[in-house]
């Protein structure tokens, strides 16, 4: 498809640049230095229990790359989707479900409802299983619940965009809407987010009823 073609072309064009700019120093000192450079809220959000330090650091690098690139280019909307995919591939995390937790926390802004559609082709390539879908919703929950609580009233609108762009299936969405979880945020925050998703859940059920 078109995105795949762009990814292949982009990989050829920036191969030399990648070798210089995307080189990763994996020494213990470098990993600690990168961790210190991350914003405090992102440090907390990217804590991954049960992962080896070396692997976990790749998510730190990826999150920081998105943040730094957005600052350099003048906003998250200027971060190129092809470059982002290639960065994940360079780090070896393009197939990892935890990558989908990092992206919502770093790639969206208060305009998330409008931004989802533009990122959908890239996200569709990264979201390849129910586990990926759940991780993506976890990232959305952290972004809205912890980083941008003013967006909580927009959760249903966000969910509709996610659903309409085929990023998360109905089979994953329905249980998510019905039961809060403390996996990604505090239980109280999760309940607040799920409460705001009620309109979306009602709409989803109505869609099923209409089809029947």
């Amino acid at each position: 498809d078109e995105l795949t073609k762009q990814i292949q072309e982009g990989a050829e064009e920036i191969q030399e640049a990648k070798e210089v700019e995307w080189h990763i120093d994996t020494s213990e000192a470098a990993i600690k230095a990168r961790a210190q450079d991350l914003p405090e809220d992102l440090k907390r959000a990217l804590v991954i229990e049960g992962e080896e330090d070396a692997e976990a650091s790749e998510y730190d690098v990826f999150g920081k790359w998105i943040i730094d690139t957005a600052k350099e280019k003048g906003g998250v909307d200027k971060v190129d989707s092809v470059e982002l995919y290639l960065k994940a591939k360079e780090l070896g995390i393009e197939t990892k479900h935890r990558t989908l937790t990092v992206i919502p926390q770093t790639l969206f802004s208060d305009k998330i409802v409008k931004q989802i559609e533009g990122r959908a082709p890239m996200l569709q390539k990264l979201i390849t299983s129910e586990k990926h879908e759940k991780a993506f919703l976890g990232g959305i929950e952290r972004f809205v619940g912890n980083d941008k609580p003013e967006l909580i009233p927009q959760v249903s609108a966000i969910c509709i965009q996610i659903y309409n762009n085929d990023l998360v299936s109905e089979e994953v969405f329905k249980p998510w809407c019905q039961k809060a979880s403390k996996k990604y945020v505090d239980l109280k925050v999760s309940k607040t987010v799920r409460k705001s998703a009620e309109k979306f859940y009602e709409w989803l059920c109505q869609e099923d009823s209409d089809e029947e």
Side-chain angles (χ1 to χ4, degrees):
D1 58 21
E2 184 61 29
L3 183 61
T4 300
K5 182 180 178 182
Q6 291 177 16
I7 288 171
Q8 291 172 343
E9 291 176 350
E12 294 173 1
E13 291 175 0
I14 64 176
Q15 182 61 39
E16 293 183 3
K18 282 198 302 176
E19 292 175 359
V20 177
E21 295 174 8
W22 295 358
H23 173 71
I24 304 164
D25 185 348
T26 56
S27 67
E28 183 177 352
I31 290 171
K32 289 181 178 179
R34 287 197 297 268
Q36 288 302 315
D37 286 340
L38 288 170
E40 288 300 321
D41 56 347
L42 187 58
K43 287 181 194 176
R44 291 192 296 272
L46 296 182
V47 170
I48 304 168
E49 296 181 2
E51 293 284 347
E52 295 180 3
D53 290 343
E55 184 176 352
S57 72
E58 305 308 310
Y59 300 101
D60 296 340
V61 173
F62 185 55
K64 188 174 186 301
W65 178 86
I66 296 174
I67 291 171
D68 289 346
T69 303
K71 287 180 180 178
E72 178 185 333
K73 294 190 174 183
V76 291
D77 291 329
K78 302 293 180 64
V79 178
D80 184 76
S81 290
V82 172
E83 288 187 19
L84 186 146
Y85 182 88
L86 289 172
K87 181 62 175 176
K89 191 175 181 67
E90 173 73 14
L91 293 170
I93 59 172
E94 82 279 9
T95 62
K96 304 288 187 178
H97 70 277
R98 288 184 176 88
T99 302
L100 276 305
T101 305
V102 177
I103 288 177
Q105 298 172 82
T106 54
L107 192 61
F108 293 126
S109 69
D110 54 2
K111 299 177 182 177
I112 182 172
V113 175
K114 294 181 178 179
Q115 292 168 329
I116 289 172
E117 185 175 2
R119 298 296 184 181
M122 177 268 296
L123 289 169
Q124 287 167 0
K125 284 198 167 293
L126 295 172
I127 300 174
T128 56
S129 71
E130 285 193 3
K131 197 171 185 179
H132 288 76
E133 293 179 24
K134 291 175 182 177
F136 181 65
L137 289 179
I140 292 289
E141 191 171 20
R142 278 182 179 167
F143 174 67
V144 175
N146 292 344
D147 303 336
K148 296 279 188 180
E150 67 273 17
L151 293 178
I152 288 178
Q154 298 184 37
V155 170
S156 282
I158 292 169
C159 289
I160 286 175
Q161 284 291 85
I162 292 171
Y163 179 76
N164 283 342
N165 282 282
D166 298 321
L167 301 178
V168 176
S169 66
E170 180 179 338
E171 290 73 22
V172 171
F173 251 133
K174 280 190 172 179
W176 183 86
C177 289
Q178 291 176 294
K179 186 176 181 180
S181 169
K182 60 181 180 180
K183 183 173 183 178
Y184 294 101
V185 296
D186 291 341
L187 192 58
K188 183 179 179 180
V189 173
S190 184
K191 287 180 178 179
T192 303
V193 172
R194 299 303 201 283
K195 179 72 174 176
S196 185
E198 285 182 351
K199 292 294 184 183
F200 167 71
Y201 180 70
E202 292 172 3
W203 174 82
L204 205 56
C205 292
Q206 184 62 43
E207 285 283 293
D208 285 345
S209 178
D210 289 345
E211 288 177 5
E212 291 174 4

